[in-house]
Amino acid sequence: MPKSAYEVFHPERNRSCVVFASPHSGRDYPWSFLRKTVLDEHAIRSSEDAFVDMLFDCAPRYGATFIKAGAPRAFVDLNRSNDELDPALIEGVRRQGHNPRVASGLGVIPRVVSNGRAIYRGKITGAEAERRITQYWQPYHDMVQKLLDAAHQRHGQAVLLDCHSMPHEAMDGVARSGMRRPDVVLGDRFGASAGGEVVDRIEAAFADAGFVVTRNTPFAGAYITQAYGRPSRGQHAVQVEIDRSLYMNEALIRPNGDFDTVRAALQQVVGEVAQIGQGRLPLAAE
């Protein structure tokens, strides 16, 4: 089993209401799991948001907290509800209505990685699925809410920046439409998970650092933004998707020659976003 559900990095002095999170960059692939999969050690990583944790781990320097997952996405997907169980993968699970994520093999315990490649030959036990949820999914989400509650108590508001990466090809449709290809997609579930002022400031931070930014298309936010975005209560959640090709070789899953440049630009973004709630009156609930 992976060694830990998450790691939290706190600043010396917590000056920010923002919590930065990387739920899909976990890369602790236990040998017991690798023995069960039909994929090799390279292919199993294709769903991973590789190196996203390294892009945002500067947050504590700017007075903000950073949390990253330990378990990899192919093992348990923290951006799914814990009841999104796949009957095609997990023994004893009954089909309950139509869930397009589960149907495509992308439930809380994924059946496939990118391009629909199967992870297993057959099914896993219900006890194994429950163990992953209990030992990894639940502790991660308990800690995220604990960090947001603490931020809200200190600053009167809390902002979760849920950090992900997207394949370069994910924006091919946008490029074909004649629009400029975005580097970053912000998801606020079309205004449901975060107040407009919060999203405006996050978008401005990316734009000022030279990134082309769009909102909600094709990624409006998944379980995490839905679960934690409560702008009327002063708790905001925004999903960030960054084009992987900017900083990594997607085929080799390695940082490319621009990695340090992109990382430096994102440090500027993190520094600006972290200032939300620093020495200012709480944002009005929207």
Side-chain angles (χ1 to χ4, degrees), residues 26-259:
R27 46 188 173 270
D28 184 4
Y29 293 85
W31 176 242
S32 58
F33 173 61
L34 293 176
R35 285 194 311 171
K36 293 178 182 178
T37 178
V38 298
L39 301 173
D40 61 37
E41 294 185 28
H42 182 81
I44 195 68
R45 296 189 64 194
S46 60
S47 292
E48 182 186 310
D49 285 347
F51 315 117
V52 165
D53 55 333
M54 296 170 63
L55 296 176
F56 289 92
D57 63 3
C58 62
R61 285 187 236 161
Y62 301 99
T65 303
F66 175 63
I67 179 171
K68 69 174 184 176
R73 183 184 188 182
F75 185 80
V76 58
D77 192 339
L78 302 176
N79 202 17
R80 297 288 181 264
S81 172
N82 62 357
D83 63 1
E84 292 187 89
L85 301 172
D86 187 348
L89 173 65
I90 304 167
E91 293 175 354
V93 171
R94 294 184 178 182
R95 191 176 302 277
Q96 297 181 349
H98 178 69
N99 181 312
R101 293 180 297 276
V102 172
S104 63
L106 298 173
V108 65
I109 309 295
R111 173 166 39 92
V112 301
V113 293
S114 63
N115 298 320
R117 290 171 291 178
I119 297 174
Y120 310 91
R121 282 193 179 85
K123 291 190 173 186
I124 66 171
T125 66
E128 170 67 15
E130 183 59 33
R131 186 160 52 247
R132 295 185 196 183
I133 292 168
T134 300
Q135 295 184 8
Y136 299 95
W137 188 97
Q138 194 65 57
Y140 178 85
H141 284 283
D142 287 347
M143 179 52 68
V144 168
Q145 188 60 65
K146 181 179 179 179
L147 294 173
L148 291 173
D149 289 345
H152 196 283
Q153 185 173 15
R154 283 190 303 267
H155 304 284
Q157 62 185 335
V159 178
L160 176 64
L161 205 71
D162 190 47
C163 305
H164 299 262
S165 66
M166 59 184 177
H168 183 71
E169 65 186 18
M171 303 309 296
D172 284 351
V174 174
R176 284 194 296 268
S177 72
M179 292 176 59
R180 190 177 178 190
R181 180 186 288 269
D183 301 317
V184 174
V185 178
L186 301 180
D188 64 356
R189 299 187 67 83
F190 299 95
S193 71
E197 184 178 348
V198 171
V199 187
D200 287 347
R201 289 183 64 179
I202 295 170
E203 180 173 357
F206 278 101
D208 289 347
F211 295 96
V212 179
V213 189
T214 190
R215 296 190 193 183
N216 293 312
T217 303
F219 305 109
Y223 170 77
I224 288 173
T225 46
Q226 182 178 18
Y228 293 102
R230 299 288 184 269
S232 63
R233 303 177 193 172
Q235 181 172 293
H236 310 267
V238 179
Q239 179 177 282
V240 176
E241 295 275 359
I242 301 176
D243 184 344
R244 293 173 186 167
S245 70
L246 296 177
Y247 61 88
M248 66 178 277
N249 182 311
E250 295 183 77
L252 298 178
I253 315 181
R254 294 178 184 170
N256 63 22
D258 293 323
F259 182 84

